[in-house]
Amino acid sequence: MKNSIRFKLIIWITGTLFVILSTSSFFLYKDKKEYEYEHYQKSTISLKKQLEISLLNGFWQLDSKYINAVIKSNMQNEFIVAIRAQDQGNLSVGILKAEDGTLVELQPDFQPNHNDKLTINFTHEDLAIGVVEIFFTDSPFIQRIEAFLITLLLIEFITIFTIGSILFFAMNRYIFTPINSLESALAKANNLDFESDDENKDYDLPTSNYLEWNALVDRVNAIINKIIQELHNRQFAEIDALLEKNNAETAYNELVKTKNSLVQTEKMAALGRLVAGIAHEINTPIGIALTVASHLDVETTKLDKKVSGNALKKSDLDEYLELATESSGLIFSNTQRASELIQSFKQIAVDQSSQIKREFFLCDYLKEVLHSLNPKIKITPIQVEFNCTAVIPMNSYPGALSQVMTNLVLNAILHAYEDKQTGQITITVTAIDKNVEIKVKDDGVGIDQVTLSKIFDPFFTTKQGKGGTGLGLNIVFNIVTQTLNGRIAVSSELDQGTCFTINIPTELKDKDNNESERVTFK
């Protein structure tokens, strides 16, 4: 009801009439009030002048009868409640108008109810000879104003009701009744079968006696006929759209498969690069250990021959013992170095390939990740500084975190430092409540604002054709936001370096196994 046109028109018409009539009534009431108050003031001034002239002789002659007669003659004024006249002696005359309108004597000490009071002092050459007190009431003109206001309100109500009723009747007959008829006709047309092939069916709406109504019906009929034609065309368009939809879904499914394949290839490529670096790094200590062991074997054979031939000298034994001690030390240190590299790589490789959620200490684990990246880092003039002193226990996906850090460090080495310029990558880890913040900052060439806005987009790379796939940072974004349930932000300025800020929870809620394996594009 409140949203209907009829209701709103009634409110608007009634409100408009109310405002107009209330405004005019206000000004009429204001003029009436000013007129009555002015009449009251003039009556007071006139009474004062009259009494000043009339009572002066009465005070000089001390004629109380005369004073009483003058007072009674002025008590007919509707605004006067009482008048009291006194001289400096014993003369005191007072008259009070009772509630029934009769005049009674006013006692010298009695104060009647009044709204205003006028005091007239009679003097002669600075000598006081008498005083007259006149007590006024504003009830008469207030009653007239109130009666006038009630009359205005009554006229306003009758006017609003009359004009509103006439306008409502006119609108109901010439506006709302045709609208209701049109609504009924449209409801009937809504139930018609526009898709029928029967060309003899008539869908036109009925006409009326009003010109405006007929014009409206003609427009609606034209629209209905156009809709019928469009519906037949739409049937064929829907068939074509359905075929296009099926083709698009097929293409999308192929795109998803290709995307997943590319992501998996990128992950395995990163792991492959890690394997190649570790293999190269392990080759050195293993080679040294093998060479030393071979040399020790040769010297042992020589010593054995000398012992068998009784040609062994003390100096030969001392030389052999010195060589054996040095060789065992070299074999031990290099095999231990190879063992550390293999152990570090084994944990990192298992984490990256399995994506298993487990408990670990963040700082120690990140040190192992950087240790596994050392073969890639040490062949560049770039230093990596790692700042993490607190013990931060984590329950998350270490493999996902390893891939994130690997991609960020290798991305900085590839993009931030061109022409093999020297630089430093700083990794800072800070615990914040139940989260941890990891900052990876380089002092390289920086990123312009246009490139910065696209840096996490899939397949976007500034090294197109130079080994860049455009998936590294996109994988980082998706791993941080989806697998690790965190946030990642990047800030950079040209020639000022770039800083990646990662914020992830230390305790990750359990996820469905399939979900933890899934990486999608941003």
Side-chain angles (χ1 to χ4, degrees), residues 46 100 126 131 236 238 248-249 265 284 373 440 458-459:
S46 175
D100 58 358
D126 297 332
V131 60
F236 297 103
E238 288 178 353
E249 289 179 351
T265 301
T284 300
L373 292 176
V440 181
F459 306 111

Side-chain angles (χ1 to χ4, degrees), residues 11 62 75 96 252 308 328 369 458 474 509:
I11 295 299
L62 301 176
M75 288 299 294
L96 173 67
Y252 175 75
S308 300
S328 62
V369 173
N474 179 256
K509 295 181 180 180

Side-chain angles (χ1 to χ4, degrees), residues 58 111 314 382:
Q111 292 292 327
K314 185 178 182 301
I382 300 167

Side-chain angles (χ1 to χ4, degrees), residues 497-510:
T498 303
C499 180
F500 289 88
T501 302
I502 300 171
N503 190 293
I504 57 176
T506 57
E507 182 73 24
L508 193 62
K509 295 181 180 180
D510 291 333

Side-chain angles (χ1 to χ4, degrees), residues 139-152:
S139 296
F141 82 82
I142 289 179
Q143 291 175 357
R144 286 195 294 272
I145 291 175
E146 290 177 349
F148 181 73
L149 179 60
I150 293 174
T151 303
L152 286 178

Side-chain angles (χ1 to χ4, degrees), residues 32 51 105 114 121 211 288 306 415-417 458 465:
K32 179 66 176 179
L51 292 178
E105 183 180 357
H114 62 282
N121 294 309
L211 295 177
I288 293 173
K306 289 181 179 180
H415 296 278
Y417 301 98

Side-chain angles (χ1 to χ4, degrees), residues 295-340:
H295 180 63
L296 181 61
D297 180 66
V298 171
E299 293 299 324
T300 301
T301 303
K302 290 180 180 180
L303 180 65
D304 183 61
K305 290 181 179 180
K306 289 181 179 180
V307 171
S308 300
N310 293 322
L312 179 64
K313 299 178 181 178
K314 185 178 182 301
S315 59
D316 294 333
L317 182 59
D318 290 339
E319 290 178 2
Y320 177 79
L321 290 176
E322 183 180 355
L323 175 64
T325 301
E326 183 180 356
S327 298
S328 62
L330 288 173
I331 292 172
F332 177 77
S333 62
N334 281 278
T335 53
Q336 186 179 25
R337 168 65 176 163
S339 176
E340 290 175 356

Side-chain angles (χ1 to χ4, degrees), residues 277-293:
I278 290 294
H280 178 76
E281 187 74 7
I282 292 175
N283 185 59
T284 300
I286 292 296
I288 293 173
L290 183 61
T291 302
V292 172

